[in-house]
Amino acid sequence: MNRYLILAMRRAQLDLTVVPRHLAYLDDLRGQGRLELSGPFGDQSGGAYLVHAADLAEATASAHNDPAHLSGGWQLTVYEWRAK
């Protein structure tokens, strides 16, 4: 499995009622052993999470199933991260 960094940047139309569903989604990924790290940025502009996936397509599909993405309140960008 490869690591993928998902940046989630807040948009102006952010609906804060989506946050609990986003966090539950991350908890589900964690329960599957696919989420390594997650958290918000200190300036409240968004956050990031690190997932394990077979390839970029799988990681992107995970990001696109996130309620944060589905709500339109965050811009999610997926990067393959070759951190050691």
Side-chain angles (χ1 to χ4, degrees):
M1 287 282 183
N2 299 315
R3 288 179 170 158
Y4 295 88
L5 180 66
I6 301 173
L7 295 181
M9 302 305 296
R10 290 181 172 199
R11 292 182 169 161
Q13 70 269 26
L14 172 70
D15 177 0
L16 291 176
T17 65
V18 176
V19 173
R21 289 184 294 178
H22 165 67
L23 295 176
Y25 182 76
L26 294 180
D27 285 342
D28 185 51
L29 289 176
R30 186 174 285 111
Q32 295 174 33
R34 296 187 55 217
L35 180 67
E36 186 172 332
L37 294 168
S38 65
F41 299 140
D43 66 359
Q44 302 300 310
S45 63
Y49 54 102
L50 186 61
V51 298
H52 297 271
D55 54 31
L56 182 60
E58 182 181 298
T60 300
S62 290
H64 287 175
N65 285 321
D66 185 334
H69 172 76
L70 296 172
S71 72
W74 286 265
Q75 172 65 44
L76 272 65
T77 310
V78 182
Y79 299 94
E80 182 177 7
W81 197 21
R82 297 178 182 170
K84 293 184 180 191

